[in-house]
Amino acid sequence: MTLKSVTNAASLLRHPVIWSIGLAMGGFFFATAIITISGETFYMEPLMLLLGLALPFLAGGVYGTIRAGNFSFSEFVQSGKTYYFRILLPTLVIFFGVVLMVFLLAIPLALLGAGAAAGMAPLLLGVIVSIAFFTFFYDAVAVFEETNVFESIRRSIEFVMNNLGSVLLFYLANIVVFAGLGFAALLAWTALLAEKLEPLTRMGPEELQTMMPQDILALIGTEGIWITAVIYAVVMVLFSAFLYAYKASFFHSHAGAAAPRVEQGEYDEKGRWYKY
């Protein structure tokens, strides 16, 4: 079923609206690459805020069109508006939950001293990764099951726990795809900048070890920087579009195959059903 979800995701990529979120992510990473290289970090936070506000609309549009089986632009816009707050609100809850968890863990670490804090950094990273691991499907839940804020998070955790083996394969498949795209991008980058990188072939191992990122940027020049940013953005466009299509296909197929949940409630004396 995991392999079928991959093929279904690949088939979804023939619809232009599915690429909207990939283009947004690619544009963001292209801009961040240029900003980072140019040193104009002032624009980084507004750009991140803009992306954070746009993603719920784009994700809602992508998931909504997949759910409806209608990939028209009008359906994309309508779905984006319908599910915007269903995705945005749990996103904020998870974000502030992570911030609160890191803050609560950072207090005792700070009291223990700088050495202990540095040694416990993997623990903080592990907490963040664990939260992301179990809540990753909250946006798909919000659209495909039309749940509220906390139910979306709870159902994502439940979905991951009930399909742990398949979810691990899901993450592994995404890692393989990203690694493959990264390797192809590295080959393309090397081929396009072979002439500028030629001096590296005359350096010894000790010289190569002392090379810093700014040295590489100075070596490839302005043209090389633009080429690097474009290749970086293309990778993010391809991977982001695949990731969201794959997540939607994976969740839809596995959640649909699961046994239906039994609603809790009772009938009154007149035979009317009341849900708890």
Side-chain angles (χ1 to χ4, degrees):
M1 189 175 291
T2 302
L3 180 59
K4 183 179 179 181
S5 298
V6 174
T7 57
N8 288 342
S11 66
L12 289 172
L13 295 178
R14 71 179 186 274
H15 303 289
V17 293
I18 304 298
W19 289 92
S20 58
I21 198 163
L23 292 172
M25 294 293 287
F28 169 77
F29 280 97
F30 177 79
T32 55
I34 298 301
I35 289 172
T36 302
I37 292 170
S38 63
E40 299 291 338
T41 56
F42 171 79
Y43 299 100
M44 189 69 74
E45 290 184 5
L47 194 62
M48 292 179 64
L49 178 62
L50 178 63
L51 179 67
L53 294 175
L55 276 181
F57 175 82
L58 297 173
V62 169
Y63 293 148
T65 55
I66 294 174
R67 181 189 181 196
N70 179 3
F71 298 93
S72 65
F73 181 74
S74 59
E75 178 66 28
F76 172 81
V77 173
Q78 182 59 41
S79 296
K81 292 189 295 184
T82 301
Y83 299 110
Y84 183 79
F85 288 103
R86 287 183 183 270
I87 295 177
L88 177 63
L89 294 180
T91 301
L92 295 175
V93 170
I94 294 171
F95 173 75
F96 287 112
V98 170
V99 172
L100 178 61
M101 185 68 68
V102 171
F103 177 75
L104 293 176
L105 288 174
I107 293 176
L109 295 179
L111 295 176
L112 291 174
M120 295 300 287
L123 174 61
L124 296 176
L125 179 61
V127 170
I128 295 173
V129 170
S130 298
I131 294 174
F133 180 88
F134 286 101
T135 62
F136 187 69
F137 294 92
Y138 75 93
D139 51 355
V141 172
V143 174
F144 285 97
E145 298 187 359
E146 297 192 344
T147 50
N148 57 31
V149 177
F150 294 102
E151 181 66 10
S152 297
I153 299 173
R154 188 197 69 80
R155 274 288 294 139
S156 176
I157 297 172
E158 180 184 69
F159 174 77
V160 172
M161 293 181 66
N162 291 340
N163 301 275
L164 189 57
S166 297
V167 170
L168 289 173
L169 290 176
F170 167 83
Y171 285 119
L172 179 61
N174 280 291
I175 292 172
V176 170
V177 170
F178 186 74
L181 290 174
F183 181 72
L186 180 60
L187 292 178
W189 183 78
T190 304
L192 291 172
L193 299 177
E195 184 176 345
K196 296 181 180 295
L197 296 174
E198 194 270 337
L200 294 177
T201 61
R202 298 193 298 269
M203 294 183 181
E206 295 182 356
E207 291 179 295
L208 291 174
Q209 290 178 358
T210 60
M211 290 287 290
M212 302 295 291
Q214 55 267 29
D215 298 325
I216 300 294
L217 295 178
L219 186 64
I220 63 178
T222 304
E223 181 184 357
I225 291 174
W226 282 100
I227 291 175
T228 302
V230 169
I231 293 176
Y232 184 45
V234 169
V235 170
M236 296 312 303
V237 169
L238 295 174
F239 180 69
S240 298
F242 170 80
L243 173 63
Y244 278 82
Y246 183 27
K247 188 202 290 193
S249 177
F250 179 85
F251 177 80
H252 184 58
S253 61
H254 284 74
R261 291 179 295 160
V262 178
E263 293 185 345
Q264 297 182 345
E266 63 179 7
Y267 291 96
D268 64 5
E269 64 277 3
K270 295 184 179 180
R272 292 174 298 188
W273 172 261
Y274 290 92
K275 179 182 178 183
Y276 290 151

